[in-house]
Amino acid sequence: MRVEASRLRQVRDVVALVVVAAVSLTACSGGGDSTGNGSSPSKTAPDTSSPGGDPALKVPAPLPAQALLSNPCSALTDAELKDVGLTPPGELTQGPPALCDWSSLSTKQNGVGVGAVPQNKGGISDIYDQRAKQAYFQPVTVDGYPGVFADTQDGRPSGSCSLWVGITDQLAFTVVTSITIGPNKAQPCDVARKVGTAVVTHLRGAA
């Protein structure tokens, strides 16, 4: 089973909130593109020197993200997928954000999705800026990189958890779990963190 459509909608709701907030902040500051398009590097670079005003949110070393951006299914190799209990190949779900979904090795009813979130020009700090709008918000470090468990709806009792990890000061990726049966249903965020750690390790190896 792929990550449920309702879970994908929730993740995209978080992204939408962040994008709206970012556009509003740009308008108030008088910067950015007059069309509201924040995709211009020349406009966004000055805003990321100190993400969210919190030095703790700066990444220790930017990780290469182009492959993840162009193809989320490249986030993990077949061997790495099996190491974290997932079945290759993945299935791409269009976004935003675009996610690659994999089924569990043990049961196809369970799945995990991974994808970069280029809409958030401030990386992980954009998620932190939306803290008040989240049903749950638990900061975490993933293999040395700043992250947070957060979502606009709390699906953790049902086996759903959303993890966000900053891999550059301008980009974060998300891990979304959909665990409907089995012992991991009670600890979906542990699964998300395990997969997120594997993705960071993979990207570090590509640096």
Side-chain angles (χ1 to χ4, degrees), residues 177-188:
T177 68
S178 180
I179 305 172
T180 60
I181 60 173
N184 285 332
K185 182 178 180 180
Q187 47 191 14

Side-chain angles (χ1 to χ4, degrees), residues 124-148:
I124 195 67
S125 68
D126 282 350
I127 304 301
Y128 273 70
D129 287 345
Q130 295 301 306
R131 181 172 189 162
K133 295 181 172 65
Q134 307 307 307
Y136 63 93
F137 190 96
Q138 296 183 355
V140 66
T141 299
V142 179
D143 202 12
Y145 285 77
V148 63

Side-chain angles (χ1 to χ4, degrees), residues 48-73:
T48 57
S49 59
S50 182
D54 185 354
L57 299 184
K58 290 186 69 65
V59 303
L63 296 175
Q66 188 53 50
L68 182 62
L69 284 165
S70 60
N71 178 19
C73 292

Side-chain angles (χ1 to χ4, degrees), residues 52-117:
D54 185 354
L57 299 184
K58 290 186 69 65
V59 303
L63 296 175
Q66 188 53 50
L68 182 62
L69 284 165
S70 60
N71 178 19
C73 292
S74 70
L76 295 168
T77 66
D78 288 358
E80 291 166 342
L81 286 166
K82 292 176 181 177
D83 283 345
V84 294
L86 298 175
T87 303
E91 180 178 307
L92 185 64
T93 302
Q94 295 299 325
L99 299 179
C100 188
D101 303 329
W102 295 277
S103 296
S104 167
L105 279 171
S106 59
T107 173
K108 292 187 180 299
Q109 286 95 324
N110 297 338
V112 175
V114 172
V117 190

